[in-house]
Amino acid sequence: MSDLILSCIIVDDEPMALNLIQSYVEKTSFLALKAKCSNAIEALQVLNQQEINLVFLDIQMPDLSGLELSKIISKNTRIIFTTAFDQYALDGFKVEALDYLLKPFNYTEFLMASNKALTWFGMLGKPSLNKEIVKQSEKEFLFVKSEYRQLKINLKEVLLFEGLKDYIKIWMDQNPKPILTLMSLKSLENELPKDQFLRIHRSFIINLEKIEAVERSQVLIAKRRITISEQYKPDFLCYVSRNSLL
């Protein structure tokens, strides 16, 4: 998961392709769609008027091709080519495209390509954003109120947080019984290190380091299966793809 939001546009002369990629963008939490363009001329007008981070760009289009457009786009705007023709892969490499998606491609392939853009812009970094990430990453414990006491919770020992109406169950390593505290899951989520904990369900925030396996739409933690709901699946898929060897 990342705090970066990348502005993007889609450029394709096929309405079905435009709509499909739009649906993929809308499922991806770190992408913000600014325009859908049916040709490169229209895209160029948008690029001259707005600051766009990422372009999903078809190659074969009338008047001005995607390759021709890519050569005049600012270097601060990165490109992911989307095309039905693989013979343009070398040309895409020459214009330093981040990726080359061959139609038809699925959401997993789209997400992996988009994550390359997220990584690229993340390396550029914004000083204030980087400081906040470091600050959160350095947090090692929290104090929570439980039975009239303030308990110190070592975050590395937490398996998961389970929301239960106005309460939270904190499941820990080596402890068969959860710690119960009066707090909302949303309030807790804002306090947790974003690189270590991820909400995957309305009722669950998990410690990513404790995942033993991922099977279909479930994660396995300490022999417990937790369903990944559709609302939170894009962020979880981002995490998996960033840490996958595939």
Side-chain angles (χ1 to χ4, degrees):
M1 187 168 58
S2 172
D3 290 326
L4 281 174
I5 301 295
L6 305 184
S7 59
C8 68
I9 64 173
I10 307 166
V11 190
D12 202 305
D13 62 341
E14 298 178 8
M16 289 184 62
L18 276 176
N19 292 334
L20 178 63
I21 298 173
Q22 178 184 3
S23 71
Y24 289 168
V25 169
E26 291 174 346
K27 289 170 63 175
T28 308
S29 61
F30 59 83
L31 295 179
L33 183 62
K34 298 300 181 181
K36 292 194 303 179
C37 305
S38 58
N39 59 69
I41 303 297
E42 184 181 341
L44 192 56
Q45 293 174 345
V46 174
L47 291 166
N48 287 334
Q49 294 169 358
Q50 301 184 52
E51 183 177 343
I52 301 298
N53 301 128
L54 183 62
V55 180
F56 294 97
L57 183 59
D58 189 18
I59 291 181
Q60 282 199 339
M61 292 183 291
D63 299 325
L64 185 68
S65 74
L67 281 173
E68 291 169 330
L69 177 61
S70 70
K71 294 174 183 177
I72 56 179
I73 289 178
S74 166
K75 295 298 182 183
N76 294 325
T77 299
R78 302 314 305 268
I79 296 167
I80 294 176
F81 281 120
T82 59
T83 180
F85 304 96
D86 59 4
Q87 66 264 34
Y88 295 111
L90 180 58
D91 293 315
F93 176 77
K94 288 179 180 178
V95 297
E96 299 181 356
L98 285 177
D99 211 337
Y100 187 98
L101 290 171
L102 190 62
K103 298 175 182 176
F105 51 87
N106 58 33
Y107 178 63
T108 300
E109 293 168 313
F110 173 88
L111 185 59
M112 293 181 71
S114 299
N115 265 302
K116 291 182 181 180
L118 185 66
T119 299
W120 190 88
F121 282 99
M123 287 179 178
L124 289 182
K126 297 180 181 178
S128 59
L129 176 62
N130 288 341
K131 288 178 182 178
E132 178 64 22
I133 292 173
V134 170
K135 182 180 178 181
Q136 288 184 325
S137 298
E138 290 175 348
K139 186 178 291 187
E140 296 181 353
F141 60 86
L142 289 175
F143 281 96
V144 299
K145 188 174 182 180
S146 180
E147 297 180 352
Y148 307 103
R149 294 184 299 167
Q150 291 285 344
L151 295 180
K152 183 179 179 181
I153 303 298
N154 187 335
L155 293 178
K156 290 184 178 180
E157 296 177 4
V158 173
L159 296 171
L160 57 93
F161 298 94
E162 181 179 359
L164 187 67
K165 292 186 178 180
D166 297 326
Y167 289 86
I168 293 175
K169 289 182 178 180
I170 306 174
W171 296 92
M172 308 285 291
D173 269 336
Q174 312 302 323
N175 192 344
K177 293 184 179 180
I179 296 168
L180 198 64
T181 183
L182 181 63
M183 179 185 280
S184 73
L185 210 60
K186 180 62 177 176
S187 298
L188 174 65
E189 185 179 11
N190 294 332
E191 297 298 323
L192 294 172
K194 297 183 184 301
D195 61 341
Q196 184 180 355
F197 290 90
L198 183 62
R199 192 168 188 168
I200 64 169
H201 189 277
R202 184 177 65 177
S203 302
F204 292 98
I205 297 174
I206 64 170
N207 186 341
L208 295 168
E209 296 178 1
K210 302 297 183 179
I211 295 175
E212 298 169 7
V214 180
E215 184 177 341
R216 297 186 178 89
S217 292
Q218 293 182 324
V219 297
L220 182 64
I221 296 179
K223 299 182 180 179
R224 180 172 181 170
R225 292 183 179 274
I226 303 167
T227 298
I228 308 161
S229 67
E230 289 298 322
Q231 179 182 354
Y232 300 101
K233 187 172 291 184
D235 280 344
F236 184 77
L237 290 175
C238 288
Y239 166 76
V240 171
S241 63
R242 284 201 305 269
N243 294 279
S244 176
L245 294 178
L246 299 179

